[in-house]
Amino acid sequence: MKNETTGKLIVFEGIDGAGKTTQIRLLQDYLVKKGRKVVCTAEPTELPFGKQLRRALSGEDPKTPCELAALFTLDRISHNMQPETGIHALLENGNDIICDRYFYSTLAYQGSETDADWVRGMNLNCPEIRHPNLCIFLDLSPEESMARINSRHEAHEIYETPERLALIRAKFHSVLQTFDPRTIRIVDASGTIEEVHTEICKIIDPIL
C-alpha cells in the first residue's frame, strides 16, 4: 500500500538484546520535541493472534515454523487494520508510528526455518500490510547480544541461543539487501546509548 499520509512508519529491527526498546523511547522523545505526534507499537501485538504468538515464543504453546509465520502475518494484518488504533488509521490521522519489529523479522526468523519465498510473498504482497518508510536495523554481534540478554535475568525465548542468534543476524543482513536501500539503515548498536541515538537522529531528520 502506498505511503501517502503525513505520518511516517518507522520500524526498528535487530536480534534480541540490540537495544530496540531503549532507542525507540529516545526517538519518540526526540520526535515529540520536534512537535510531531508519535505512537509506539510492537509486534507481536496484544491482539488475539499476538497473544497466541507470545505463548508460542515462550515455549508454552509450541508451533511449527509455518504456523508461526502464518500467525505473525495474521497479527500484522490485524495490527494494520484495527479501525481506530491500527497502523493505517494512525498514519492517516498524521501520527508517526515507531514499531518494534515488523515483517523483516518474520522474513529473517521464520524465513530461515521454512520456505522463504512463501513467507515473503505472504507479507510483501498483502494489500493490507503497509510498507514502512524506514527500517532501522540495530546491528550487534551474537556474543554481545547474549551478554545483554543474560544480564536481564529473565527466561529466554526460543530464539535466544548463540547459534540461533548468529543464524538470524546473517539472515537479517541477507533479507535487508533485497529491499530498496533508501528504506533501510544499518546502525552499529555496540556503541553507547547516546552514540546510537545520535546516529539514528541523523538518519531520521531527512525523512521528516
Side-chain angles (χ1 to χ4, degrees), residues 85-205:
T85 60
I87 289 172
H88 288 266
L90 290 170
L91 290 173
E92 288 164 5
N93 286 328
N95 297 279
D96 293 324
I97 299 176
I98 307 175
C99 187
D100 184 347
R101 298 203 181 281
Y102 203 57
F103 53 49
Y104 312 93
S105 281
T106 305
L107 271 57
Y109 283 83
Q110 285 70 53
S112 67
E113 297 179 330
T114 185
D115 187 284
D117 289 337
W118 172 68
V119 177
R120 187 178 182 88
M122 187 165 51
N123 281 272
L124 272 58
N125 296 333
C126 177
E128 293 184 343
I129 295 179
R130 185 178 291 266
H131 287 224
N133 297 92
L134 182 68
C135 170
I136 296 173
F137 179 73
L138 298 180
D139 197 20
L140 194 67
S141 71
E143 295 76 18
E144 190 162 357
S145 170
M146 280 306 305
R148 293 184 183 183
I149 291 168
N150 289 334
S151 70
R152 299 174 185 164
H153 303 294
E154 298 174 353
H156 288 191
E157 288 192 345
I158 60 174
Y159 292 104
E160 294 177 342
T161 68
E163 297 77 18
R164 298 187 88 173
L165 288 170
L167 172 66
I168 296 303
R169 182 189 183 216
K171 186 66 175 180
F172 259 122
H173 279 278
S174 176
V175 164
L176 295 175
Q177 289 176 6
T178 67
F179 287 88
D180 184 338
R182 293 171 296 180
T183 67
I184 304 293
R185 293 292 186 273
I186 298 176
V187 175
D188 182 356
S190 65
T192 67
I193 291 172
E194 293 75 16
E195 288 170 343
V196 176
H197 174 60
T198 297
E199 182 64 23
I200 290 169
C201 291
K202 291 178 182 177
I203 292 168
I204 291 293
D205 283 342

Side-chain angles (χ1 to χ4, degrees), residues 7 17 23 26-27 29 33 38 51 53-54 86 114 144 146 169 179 208:
Q23 293 302 329
L26 291 173
L27 180 58
D29 292 343
K33 288 177 182 176
V38 184
K51 290 179 179 179
L53 280 164
R54 291 180 189 279
T114 185
E144 190 162 357
M146 280 306 305
R169 182 189 183 216
F179 287 88
L208 299 178

